[in-house]
Amino acid sequence: ETGVTQTPRHLVMGMTNKKSLKCEQHLGHNAMYWYKQSAKKPLELMFVYSLEERVENNSVPSRFSPECPNSSHLFLHLHTLQPEDSALYLCASSQVVLGDTEAFFGQGTRLTVV
Amino acid sequence: EDQVTQSPEALRLQEGESSSLNCSYTVSGLRGLFWYRQDPGKGPEFLFTLYSAGEEKEKERLKATLTKKESFLHITAPKPEDSATYLCAVQGNAGNMLTFGGGTRLMVKP
């Protein structure tokens, strides 16, 4: 148990479906992140919510929409995905203070788009 | 733009055969270099943070070192349970984001 919980662990969805991934952190951190991990590629940062301010990777398609209602919860809303979006989606959290910024990850959601 | 390159991509060792994994990086003002371990189908597990050249940290059979251009993860007398993918990441002055390398997949045979 890392203190970061993601649900569901596995998700299969069609290209016309709408689904959401959920992440909850129990570490008292003030920053949360979504990463995408595809086969044989480095982890790719998608979105950051830090001190309630959103920072995003401009290359992320609009079919991915994040939501961070408070510092403990993070969602990733998915709609009209493509098969190439199949990947492991990882949530992470960290405490944004000077010199103490290691991120702790959840177990991930394995997404398959059919 | 921050960049991280890990080598080798894959490493096969016999149990007890010590070796090192390399992480080369370029970053605009290093705030931290991080090592993670990732088992198949799971999220990365935090191992170490290094902040400045010359710093070293140890945990069981693992020892991480840092220079101004690279970091090494030394594995002493590895065991099969050390088999995993080891990820290196850097954080620069541009923000809180981590830039990850592609990882080294370590396989330790009994």
Side-chain angles (χ1 to χ4, degrees), chain A residues 9-83:
Chain A
R9 292 294 309 277
H10 301 273
L11 177 62
V12 179
M13 60 185 289
M15 289 189 284
T16 58
N17 291 159
K18 289 184 179 180
K19 296 285 185 182
S20 296
L21 310 185
K22 179 182 176 181
C23 176
E24 183 175 1
Q25 60 97 359
H26 313 276
L27 301 168
H29 288 164
N30 57 11
M32 297 187 76
Y33 312 78
W34 280 116
Y35 283 87
K36 175 183 178 182
Q37 188 173 39
S38 303
K40 299 190 176 182
K41 287 186 178 180
L43 269 77
E44 176 188 352
L45 178 67
M46 300 177 74
F47 301 101
V48 180
Y49 280 87
S50 176
L51 301 174
E52 300 183 7
E53 181 179 332
R54 174 172 139 183
V55 179
E56 58 192 271
N57 182 340
N58 290 330
S59 67
V60 177
S62 60
R63 56 185 181 268
F64 295 92
S65 175
E67 178 189 0
C68 189
N70 54 61
S71 61
S72 298
H73 295 86
L74 184 66
F75 296 90
L76 187 62
H77 303 300
L78 316 171
H79 63 97
T80 59
L81 295 191
Q82 303 298 311

Side-chain angles (χ1 to χ4, degrees), chain A residues 37 45 50 99 101 103 106-107, chain B residues 36 38 42-43 51 91 96-97:
Chain A
Q37 188 173 39
L45 178 67
S50 176
T101 54
Q107 295 297 332
Chain B
Y36 289 85
Q38 187 175 24
K42 295 189 175 181
Y51 295 105
Q91 184 178 49
N96 298 323
M97 304 73 148

Side-chain angles (χ1 to χ4, degrees), chain B residues 28-95:
Chain B
S28 56
L30 181 69
R31 290 175 60 189
L33 183 140
F34 306 86
W35 282 100
Y36 289 85
R37 169 191 170 132
Q38 187 175 24
D39 292 301
K42 295 189 175 181
E45 175 190 346
F46 172 73
L47 293 174
F48 303 108
T49 308
L50 301 168
Y51 295 105
S52 58
E55 189 175 0
E56 298 182 352
K57 288 193 176 175
E58 288 188 66
K59 180 179 180 180
E60 295 181 357
R61 295 177 292 282
L62 300 177
K63 178 180 177 181
T65 62
L66 180 65
T67 72
K68 289 186 177 180
K69 293 185 177 181
E70 57 192 350
S71 176
F72 291 94
L73 185 65
H74 307 279
I75 302 178
T76 303
K79 297 182 178 182
E81 53 262 42
D82 294 322
S83 297
T85 295
Y86 290 85
L87 301 171
C88 173
V90 297
Q91 184 178 49
N93 284 332

